[in-house]
Amino acid sequence: MVIISNSSRRASITMEKLRSLGFDPSLFVGAITSGELTHQYLQRRGDAWFASLGRSCIHMTWSDRALGPSSGAALPMKLDELEKILDQCAAKKIPMVVANPDFVTVEARALRVMPGTLAATYEKLGGEVKWMGKPDKIIYKSAMEMAAVDASDCIAVGDSLHHDIKGANAAGIASAFITGGIHATELGLGKFGEVADDIQYMLLPSKTMLILHMCSLHLHGEECTY
């Protein structure tokens, strides 16, 4: 098994976290994260797109809502201030690399806005975005290389329709959809072990787009409950 995560952290940190959660890391081939991919591509510069990048950057760290100056210190900013920076960057045609493409994450039954939402905003402003994680097939390719298998030998398991299932489809990999995760409330599920009916499954794509739109509208509020 290989863990594929949109976490902006390095893969080694993800593997260490497994042990703290009670899992035996030896049961896994390894982990590939968006942060690990970003680190590798920026370091190696073997890809033509990354080779064309300069050596300086504006580093936005989501957890602290910070914009990192050249000194390396964090400079806290509100989301509306970050959007003003994005507008200026788009005008200057500065490319963006997203080390965590998730739009939202679930915290206590609330959808908390994640970096992918900010990146999507940048695209709408006309900015160029390199998505280093699900649903882009780049992360699935890395996972298959790590496990030394082909797409026909894989099955991807995840709870996000947009990231996990869409990404698996793009990579030509079979998938298993976990209904009790990020889409649980949309599917009308409140307890572990409950099963959604066929109608809820059919309505899920439209509900997902609606919630993503709501989170975009509530970007300044940081979260949208559902």
Side-chain angles (χ1 to χ4, degrees):
M1 291 185 289
V2 176
I3 295 176
I4 302 177
S5 170
N6 274 355
S7 169
S8 57
R9 296 181 175 87
R10 298 291 300 277
S12 58
I13 297 177
T14 296
M15 294 303 292
E16 291 172 5
K17 188 175 181 180
L18 283 176
R19 195 181 301 278
S20 68
L21 294 173
F23 292 97
D24 181 357
S26 67
L27 297 176
F28 298 84
V29 175
I32 184 69
T33 66
S34 296
E36 184 67 36
L37 269 184
T38 302
H39 175 84
Q40 292 177 3
Y41 274 74
L42 284 173
Q43 185 179 57
R44 297 170 183 171
R45 305 281 177 144
D47 177 89
W49 191 89
F50 279 89
S52 67
L53 298 179
R55 294 290 174 174
S56 60
C57 70
I58 300 173
H59 184 202
M60 297 182 181
T61 60
W62 193 257
S63 60
D64 295 321
R65 302 291 192 272
L67 186 69
S70 57
S71 64
L75 178 63
M77 281 191 173
K78 295 181 179 179
L79 286 171
D80 56 348
E81 294 176 315
L82 285 179
E83 286 194 60
K84 292 178 181 178
I85 298 294
L86 292 181
D87 198 18
Q88 295 176 37
C89 290
K92 293 180 179 294
K93 300 187 182 302
I94 298 176
M96 173 186 282
V97 180
V98 187
N100 184 332
D102 282 346
F103 291 134
V104 294
T105 189
V106 178
E107 290 185 5
R109 288 298 178 186
L111 291 181
R112 183 171 294 278
V113 178
M114 294 295 282
T117 299
L118 201 64
T121 299
Y122 192 56
E123 281 191 328
K124 290 180 180 179
L125 292 171
E128 181 183 7
V129 176
K130 191 72 168 179
W131 299 86
M132 297 301 289
K134 300 176 290 184
D136 195 285
K137 59 185 178 182
I138 185 173
I139 198 166
Y140 293 91
K141 179 182 178 182
S142 294
M144 287 187 284
E145 289 175 350
M146 180 183 294
V149 295
D150 296 323
S152 59
D153 299 318
C154 302
I155 181 169
V157 181
D159 69 343
S160 170
L161 198 63
H162 176 82
H163 293 95
D164 300 315
I165 306 306
K166 180 181 179 181
N169 288 342
I173 297 174
S175 61
F177 178 45
I178 304 300
T179 58
I182 196 171
H183 297 298
T185 300
E186 297 163 75
L187 290 169
L189 305 178
K191 297 179 181 179
F192 181 78
E194 288 184 338
V195 179
D197 58 46
D198 292 341
I199 294 178
Q200 292 297 333
Y201 282 121
M202 293 173 63
L203 293 174
L204 182 57
S206 60
K207 288 184 178 181
T208 300
M209 293 306 298
L210 175 60
I211 286 182
L212 289 177
H213 177 63
M214 289 171 61
C215 284
S216 178
L217 292 176
H218 287 79
L219 186 61
H220 301 291
E222 299 187 26
E223 67 178 15
C224 53
T225 56
Y226 67 111

